[in-house]
Amino acid sequence: MIMTPEQLKARYGAFRLSLLVLAALMAMAFFGYQLAGYLQDNNSKQSEAMAETKALLEAENAALKTRVNQLEVALQLARQVTGSERDIQSALQDELHDLRSRLDFYENVMAPETTQDGFYIDGVQVFATNTPNLYQLRFVLLQQRDNRAIVKGDLAISITGNLNNERVTYEAGSAGFLPEGTVKYRFKYFQTVNVNFSLPEEFEPEFLHFETDVYQYTTLRGNYQRTISWHDSATQESTMSETSMLDKHQSAEEPMRKG
């Protein structure tokens, strides 16, 4: 049963009632203070836990970023190493090809008897025409044996040089070089050859290479190869016309015919 303030005052008196109210207020204040302290302590612990969790997440995120950066650097280094190895391999292949070309050139110059077997290409000249990137190639095929018989075959011509810093070789039959293919020959004393060919605008020629299997009737007599420097064969103006070249060789072979 709940008593009213008048009943409490009548029962306990005004002084006692005031003491009772004061005690109740102090108890409420004490419990309120305790509750506030508990709530504050709980909030503080939650804040500390959240701060620790945040710190852990930030540390893990930083570690992941570091690992990603390390992997990106490793990948870049691997790509650079692979690219360097490819560049080295390409450079070695170019150097090997160049050395082989030079070796063929010097073998033909210093020891032609090892490959010519009486068959020879003479008077190789390259002339620039009035048409851009179009050239004219002239030379004479000779037979240097005393007991001359008809020889025949297909002469393959190729040109090697640089195009956009890459080693490139164009062979007879290429659309931009000699689309008509190899040069067919059949002669007893000599045969003049005059062909036109084109080259790409950015192409820098270095060597002309000639190769053929020489047949005497149906018998293979040998293989002929010769490499000539573009610098040695190229000229801007003709110093010897095709007719004069023909006359020179005719005058040289007339005594042989008479003999």
Side-chain angles (χ1 to χ4, degrees), residues 168-219:
V168 178
T169 298
Y170 295 104
E171 299 180 353
S174 301
F177 179 50
L178 289 172
E180 61 274 12
T182 59
V183 175
K184 297 185 180 295
Y185 61 87
R186 186 178 186 276
F187 65 92
K188 185 175 182 181
Y189 296 100
F190 68 87
Q191 178 178 328
T192 59
V193 179
N194 189 342
V195 293
N196 293 332
F197 65 91
S198 59
L199 294 175
E201 183 177 358
E202 302 298 329
F203 183 74
E204 299 176 1
E206 293 182 0
F207 297 100
L208 281 166
H209 183 73
F210 302 87
E211 183 174 359
T212 182
D213 288 331
V214 182
Y215 288 86
Q216 186 173 350
Y217 299 108
T218 58
T219 302

Side-chain angles (χ1 to χ4, degrees), residues 61-160:
N61 185 45
L64 290 174
K65 286 183 178 180
T66 302
R67 183 57 179 165
V68 169
N69 293 333
Q70 290 174 347
L71 291 176
E72 288 180 348
V73 171
L75 178 60
Q76 186 66 24
L77 291 175
R79 288 176 177 173
Q80 291 178 356
V81 170
T82 303
S84 299
E85 290 179 350
R86 290 177 180 174
D87 293 341
I88 292 173
Q89 183 179 6
S90 178
L92 290 176
Q93 289 177 348
D94 291 343
E95 184 178 359
L96 178 60
H97 187 278
D98 183 63
L99 289 175
R100 285 177 176 173
S101 299
R102 294 178 184 273
L103 178 60
D104 291 339
F105 173 72
Y106 286 114
E107 279 184 350
N108 283 282
V109 172
M110 301 302 294
E113 66 278 0
T114 60
T115 57
Q116 292 173 9
D117 194 23
F119 183 91
Y120 188 67
I121 296 178
D122 189 26
V124 178
Q125 290 181 309
V126 178
F127 302 94
T129 67
N130 294 329
T131 303
N133 305 320
L134 182 65
Y135 301 88
Q136 187 177 80
L137 173 63
R138 300 179 187 178
F139 55 89
V140 177
L141 302 178
L142 297 172
Q143 187 179 185
Q144 297 177 324
R145 285 188 168 188
D146 292 336
N147 54 340
R148 304 190 183 204
I150 293 177
V151 294
K152 61 182 179 179
D154 294 329
L155 179 64
I157 305 174
S158 62
I159 184 169
T160 300

